[in-house]
Amino acid sequence: MATADNPTANFSPDQFLETIALHGGTTPDPTTGAMLTPIYQTTTYRQPAVGEHKGYTYSRSGNPTVTALEGRLAAVEGAEFATAYVTGLAATTVLCLALLKAGDRVVLSQAVYGGTVRLLKQVLEPFGVESEFIDTSDEGALAKALKEPAKFLFIETPANPTLKLTDIALAARLSKEAGALLVVDNTLLTPALQRPLDLGADIILHSTTKFIEGHNATVGGALLTRNAELHEKLAFVRNAIGAIQAAFPAWLTLQGVKTLPLRMAQHSANALRVAQFLESHPRVEWIAYPGLESFPQYELAKRQQKSGGALLAFEVEGGVEAGVRLMNSVKLCSLAENLGAAETLITHPVSMTHGDVPPEQRAAAGISDGLVRLSVGLENPDDLIADLDQALKR
Ligand code: PLP
């Protein structure tokens, strides 16, 4: 059984991902045989004697349902250690508090989730942490930024919402040479489509809110690593600030992981169909989707991703006004802030997810005012195409 000390006890790296997603890292409940790890809805754990316990003392430090999720996440990501958090941003916060102190510097991708920028610039900068946002897809810019000491390089690839890619193996080599850790936000592709630890990353971050849980039911986050010392630091800070995931969302997330490889394959196949439709539509000015041959970094996408993923970005002829009209006219796609759900979600990043990113940084990152982000769900793609087609005709 997976325990607090050994969360990946049932993980066999030789199995295929579909199998690991169902069985890796945790087993049916050893006391009752319950197939699903129960929801351990408890604050504390009765101890047999002073100084003795069964691995759990208080649910801010650890909870068996959360351990089961961590074991499964570590197994699917090919990591050895995982910590689960109450949100993705709580995971980013713990990462920063565990690795940084006043006077330290970090380098990040210019196009990242808006909340990551807000955390670094508006919360951590006043505490003396310097952050530099650069175009991490540009080898020269990356090498230059890493000439000055940095604690870690944080990349998001594909980047939300531009879909620009960063070469993970190159970023790993350059950050190692510079003595910096490499952190990869793997939220958009998940381990089903991209394996950053195998390409040299030190830590992976997830907003499990997205594809990992996958059903628009929870918010959550995770940090994964193969490095025991880093894991200890993360677990310590998580306990110190109280950022652990709760038992019920952990349980729901664990159910989501079981179908992750199947869902990601279907999300990706659907997104490719929708992207091909949009690419050939006369009213679409441009479209970015890593699975299209027209995508500027198509060769890199083929090298480091299993397929294009579920997200695409595009702009309608007529700019912001036309994009807004489209988003207000769709019927099947839902206008919403999230991505990575079973249902297709359409978003206007500039007024929604990336509203707190300074306009100059948005412009430099290629987040234009008319950019429309589509997180393609699991509906039949023909229905999605029909919906977008009627909205584009308005
Ligand atoms: N990373 C990425 C790529 C995201 O898109 C998000 C949220 O949209 C986050 C991190 C933050 O996660 P959460 O919303 O679960 O706090």
Side-chain angles (χ1 to χ4, degrees):
M1 180 209 176
T3 64
D5 294 333
N6 189 7
T8 60
N10 199 34
F11 170 49
S12 162
D14 297 334
Q15 287 169 336
F16 289 99
L17 193 65
E18 292 80 0
T19 311
I20 295 170
L22 287 162
H23 300 284
T26 190
T27 60
D29 184 48
T31 47
T32 63
M35 277 300 287
L36 305 191
T37 301
I39 302 167
Y40 283 91
Q41 188 61 48
T42 184
T43 308
T44 192
Y45 306 81
R46 187 170 157 140
Q47 300 182 204
V50 173
E52 285 179 34
H53 58 75
K54 297 176 179 171
Y56 299 95
T57 53
Y58 189 58
S59 280
R60 177 166 35 77
S61 324
N63 171 287
T65 315
V66 178
T67 303
L69 170 64
E70 289 166 347
R72 185 67 49 87
L73 288 177
V76 292
E77 192 69 80
E80 286 187 36
F81 307 98
T83 35
Y85 300 86
V86 68
T87 63
L89 267 177
T92 317
T93 305
V94 166
L95 171 85
C96 293
L97 294 181
L99 300 182
L100 302 171
K101 57 182 183 340
D104 284 343
R105 174 175 171 270
V106 275
V107 176
L108 301 97
S109 301
Q110 208 165 39
V112 280
Y113 168 58
T116 308
V117 181
R118 184 176 53 208
L119 174 68
L120 267 298
K121 283 283 170 207
Q122 296 184 39
V123 180
L124 294 176
E125 205 166 273
F127 284 93
V129 170
E130 189 196 333
S131 48
E132 192 182 342
F133 291 83
I134 61 147
D135 182 358
T136 51
S137 72
D138 174 347
E139 182 174 351
L142 203 48
K144 186 166 167 245
L146 288 171
K147 278 208 175 103
E148 279 175 59
K151 280 284 168 196
F152 62 81
L153 168 65
F154 183 106
I155 61 173
E156 192 179 292
T157 179
N160 175 7
T162 61
L163 282 327
K164 200 176 231 190
L165 307 187
T166 296
D167 185 331
I168 301 175
L170 175 72
R173 183 168 60 74
L174 293 178
S175 52
K176 254 173 209 92
E177 283 168 13
L181 294 169
L182 175 64
V183 182
V184 179
D185 185 333
N186 203 24
T187 297
L188 263 55
L189 289 181
T190 82
L193 303 183
Q194 181 168 267
R195 319 279 303 177
L197 291 175
D198 293 342
L199 296 171
D202 299 289
I203 299 177
I204 292 186
L205 182 133
H206 278 290
S207 166
T208 60
T209 313
K210 314 293 189 281
F211 298 99
I212 289 197
E213 189 271 310
H215 297 78
N216 255 337
T218 63
V219 286
L223 291 168
L224 300 111
T225 180
R226 292 175 178 164
N227 181 319
E229 202 183 317
L230 285 176
H231 171 69
E232 287 308 316
K233 286 186 186 173
L234 299 170
F236 173 79
V237 174
R238 180 181 68 169
N239 183 44
I241 70 162
I244 195 171
Q245 181 58 292
F248 184 42
W251 184 87
L252 282 168
T253 308
L254 186 53
Q255 309 320 312
V257 178
K258 292 178 182 175
T259 55
L260 181 69
L262 303 178
R263 285 187 288 107
M264 290 314 290
Q266 196 60 47
H267 274 295
S268 224
N270 289 359
L272 180 60
R273 283 278 317 279
V274 173
Q276 285 164 341
F277 161 76
L278 290 172
E279 189 176 39
S280 64
H281 198 287
R283 293 217 46 223
V284 173
E285 204 132 87
W286 59 262
I287 168 161
Y289 179 65
L292 286 176
E293 280 180 34
S294 60
F295 186 69
Q297 295 168 293
Y298 181 65
E299 287 308 315
L300 175 59
K302 277 209 299 193
R303 203 162 68 233
Q304 77 180 14
Q305 306 183 184
K306 204 168 160 191
S307 57
L311 246 71
L312 45 93
F314 63 99
E315 196 161 335
V316 184
E317 194 183 69
V320 192
E321 207 186 301
V324 168
R325 201 173 322 118
L326 169 88
M327 286 180 271
N328 288 340
S329 305
V330 286
K331 293 183 176 132
L332 182 58
C333 306
S334 300
L335 181 66
E337 287 254 353
N338 200 14
L339 62 91
E343 301 87 357
T344 294
L345 303 176
I346 196 162
T347 307
H348 182 223
V350 165
S351 67
M352 296 163 85
T353 50
H354 289 67
D356 271 347
V357 178
E360 340 54 89
Q361 183 172 340
R362 283 204 306 256
I367 308 171
S368 58
D369 289 354
L371 187 149
V372 177
R373 186 184 81 187
L374 195 67
S375 171
V376 179
L378 299 174
E379 298 90 347
N380 187 297
D382 286 337
D383 288 327
L384 294 171
I385 289 169
D387 188 34
L388 290 164
D389 196 32
Q390 66 79 22
L392 280 165
K393 283 192 179 121
R394 297 202 172 209

